[in-house]
Each structure stands twice: as structure tokens, then as C-alpha cells.
Amino acid sequence: LRRFNSDGSLDASFRAISGPYGEEPVTIYALARQADGRILVSYSNGGFSSSHVVRLQSNGSLDSSFSLKAESFVEDIVIQPDGKIILAGRFTTIGGVARNAIARFNSNGTIDSGFAPLISHSEGYYSGPDDATQIKNKFADFNGTTSEYSLSIRASVLRLALQADGKMILFGLFDRWGTSPVPANLMRLNADGTRDTTFSASVDRGAGVNYQEPDHPDPSYRRPYTAWHNAGLALQADGKVLIGGQ
């Protein structure tokens, strides 16, 4: 993480972030600046199993009073005018609390228990013997065992935008509210986390939902495409919603 001066020169007073235990490399997924100048950072340490959200002081030093861990990526961070922090991503637990793809925290890092959107995805988990065979073929020498391979097609919120009235637009990969079907991948929530049913829009995942698995023994096999990797979301001054992605 680096900060630059307004003329493009490096701000040497702002130190780079490393992991909480000094691990490298660090991949940063999202940043957000609080009104007091402190900075929230979502990152992972060279892996896919978990990510961290930490808060930095304005000079880049670690604020030890705030730290959260999620079991998967935190893709976006939005800070409300009241200081509450909304985190969005691919996680199912964050800060030790079960939440699907979106969660809201108080400024001190405690969960806002009243905010619990019921975002989910209909496809659940995909698994099959061909996948297990492939994993065995590729990794038998590593651990000498065979285990079933499950491909998670989990609900994900990749981008989040906050409206002036406190409502929020979500863009990602989802098509259920609890167990009930809803328009896919684009949604508006009320400020309390309930679904705004007056907003009805959907976005298709696009062509290429299935793709060929490299080195698979069956050339005709196609694996489900799990999620977008890139997404953009912005609100215009007139309230219209701009989205972009794969």
C-alpha cells in the first residue's frame, strides 16, 4: 500500500502495509477512508482461504483497536455517514459471525446484529466424480489421498454503493432472498438490510457460464463458471445506476 502526494510524488511519511504477523506478499482488495482520516483495508496474505480487514492510522500505522477476519474475500468497503462500516464480498462468516456476502459493523468493530440481509444463491455447491478424479491426478503425489472436490457457487457481493437516503445498491452474484427467487445479481437494500421490493432489475452473468477445464480427461466436460472477477458500480447524481463487469 502506497500513498502519493498531489503532484504524483511518493508520500514517504506513509508506510506500506504488511500482514498482521509480517507475512508477504499482501494482496489488497478494498480501501475506504473514514471522516477522521483513518483508513480501512481489506487484504489477504498470498492465499485464498481467508482475508483480513484492518484499520490504519492516517500515517499508515496499524490501529490495533480494529481487526476482522473473513473466511473468504472482502471485495468492497463502504463507510456510512454515521460511521458504520459495510463490508461486501464472497464470505459466509466474518468477525466470527455468520453472514452471507454482506455485513455491517459498528465503528469499533462489533457486528451490527440488526443488519442481516438474506442474500443467497440457488446453485449451492457443485461436485462430481470427474472433479475428484482430476484433483487426485494432479495432487496424489502431494498428499497421497483422494477427497471429493466441491465447487462453491456461493452468493457474492462484489460492489456496493450507498445512496443519500441510506439505501444501498448491491452488484454481484446472487438470485435468492433466503429461499425465494429474486431478480439476479443486482439489488437494492433498505437502510435496515431488508430488501427494497420497489427496485426490480437483474443482470445476466453473461455468455460463457461454463468453460473447459484444462487437462480434464473428458474434452467435452464443462465446469460451471463460479463468479465474476471484475465488477464496477457507480451512482449518478440523478439516481441512475451504472454497472460494468464480465
Side-chain angles (χ1 to χ4, degrees):
L1 179 62
R2 297 289 187 270
R3 185 167 66 191
F4 291 85
N5 297 308
S6 57
D7 63 358
S9 61
L10 185 66
D11 180 357
S13 69
F14 187 86
R15 74 173 184 85
I17 187 175
S18 62
Y21 310 109
E23 304 104 327
E24 297 285 355
V26 167
T27 301
I28 292 176
Y29 294 96
L31 298 168
R33 184 181 179 274
Q34 296 185 169
D36 62 5
R38 290 185 291 181
I39 304 159
L40 290 163
V41 183
S42 161
Y43 73 96
S44 68
N45 286 102
F48 300 98
S49 60
S50 64
S51 63
H52 303 267
V53 180
V54 296
R55 186 161 57 198
L56 306 181
Q57 305 289 354
S58 60
N59 65 357
S61 61
L62 188 66
D63 176 359
S64 59
S65 70
F66 186 100
S67 180
L68 297 169
K69 185 176 181 179
E71 47 69 61
S72 192
F73 301 118
V74 175
E75 301 275 0
D76 205 1
I77 304 172
V78 169
I79 302 172
Q80 296 184 171
D82 63 1
K84 290 187 177 182
I85 299 158
I86 308 173
L87 304 177
R90 307 171 193 258
F91 50 82
T92 56
T93 62
I94 185 167
V97 180
R99 287 290 187 273
N100 261 9
I102 185 169
R104 186 163 67 190
F105 290 84
N106 299 306
S107 60
N108 63 359
T110 58
I111 189 75
D112 179 354
S113 59
F115 183 90
L118 302 177
I119 293 168
S120 61
H121 198 281
S122 60
E123 295 184 37
Y125 287 82
Y126 175 88
S127 64
D130 286 342
D131 296 297
T133 300
Q134 181 192 4
I135 295 301
K136 179 183 177 183
N137 289 341
K138 288 188 175 181
F139 299 107
D141 291 340
F142 175 73
N143 58 21
T145 60
T146 303
S147 59
E148 185 179 65
Y149 171 62
S150 294
L151 176 64
S152 170
I153 308 179
R154 64 171 68 190
S156 303
V157 176
L158 302 182
R159 292 294 177 265
L160 169 68
L162 191 65
Q163 297 184 170
D165 61 2
K167 294 183 179 182
M168 56 203 79
I169 304 291
L170 314 182
F171 180 34
L173 183 68
F174 44 82
D175 62 4
R176 292 288 187 274
W177 185 260
T179 58
S180 301
V182 293
N185 307 325
L186 188 64
M187 179 184 293
R188 184 164 64 194
L189 301 183
N190 296 308
D192 63 358
T194 57
R195 178 172 168 256
D196 180 359
T197 57
T198 68
F199 182 90
S200 180
S202 64
V203 181
D204 187 75
R205 285 192 293 183
V209 171
N210 298 321
Y211 69 93
Q212 186 171 5
E213 180 68 42
D215 304 322
H216 196 279
D218 179 2
S220 67
Y221 174 74
R222 295 294 184 271
R223 181 168 134 184
Y225 183 55
T226 58
W228 287 315
H229 294 283
N230 301 289
L233 172 64
L235 300 181
Q236 295 186 171
D238 61 3
K240 292 181 179 180
V241 180
L242 294 169
I243 63 168
Q246 289 176 300

